[in-house]
Amino acid sequence: QVQLVESGGGLVQAGGSLRLSCAASGRTLSMFDMGWFRRAPGKEREFVSAISWSGGSTLYADSVKGRFTISRDNAESMVYLQMNTLKFEDTAVYYCAARSARFTRVTSDGFHYWGQGTQVTVSS
């Protein structure tokens, strides 16, 4: 198993930036593909971004492409989500997620380890 703890959320004005962090423990991070998901008020949880175990493959939801960047540091057991040009509709609880590495191009499915989430609020 792997334990995930998110941090870095907060209140930011539209157009601003935030960097979310996810600290992983319990297993070697390189054994996992990692992802970020979010749940906005009154909506279902949705995929935001994912990165393969090596960092060589990334995937983004269309709604964040060009604004968000996912990265990882396996040596430090950390995963990051840099969020730029934030919009009101990015307001949500953001969750870090993990799945056993598939050693293929990363996809948005199959994540089964979850953190507790961090709130991101974008004021318009």
Side-chain angles (χ1 to χ4, degrees):
Q1 286 196 356
V2 61
Q3 291 77 46
L4 306 171
V5 178
E6 303 93 337
S7 62
L11 175 64
V12 63
Q13 287 189 331
S17 298
L18 280 176
R19 187 197 197 200
L20 304 184
S21 299
C22 173
S25 62
R27 300 288 294 275
T28 303
L29 190 63
S30 59
M31 297 175 64
F32 299 93
D33 297 331
M34 301 298 295
W36 288 95
F37 292 74
R38 67 187 182 187
R39 188 193 302 271
K43 295 186 178 181
E44 297 291 318
R45 185 173 62 197
E46 65 173 358
F47 169 77
V48 175
S49 183
I51 187 168
S52 62
W53 69 278
S54 66
S57 174
T58 58
L59 182 67
Y60 297 92
D62 287 344
S63 59
V64 307
K65 200 172 295 182
R67 300 187 297 121
F68 291 11
T69 302
I70 191 171
S71 61
R72 65 189 295 160
D73 184 339
N74 286 344
E76 296 295 327
S77 295
M78 295 293 295
V79 182
Y80 304 99
L81 186 68
Q82 178 66 44
M83 304 187 296
N84 298 329
T85 319
L86 282 161
K87 304 176 181 180
F88 175 75
E89 50 265 38
D90 294 319
T91 296
V93 177
Y94 283 72
Y95 299 91
C96 181
R99 72 180 191 195
S100 298
R102 295 183 180 180
F103 305 105
T104 61
R105 184 182 298 273
V106 73
T107 59
S108 61
D109 65 298
F111 288 87
H112 47 271
Y113 297 108
W114 299 90
Q116 293 300 307
T118 185
Q119 176 71 48
V120 171
T121 302
V122 184
S123 62
S124 57

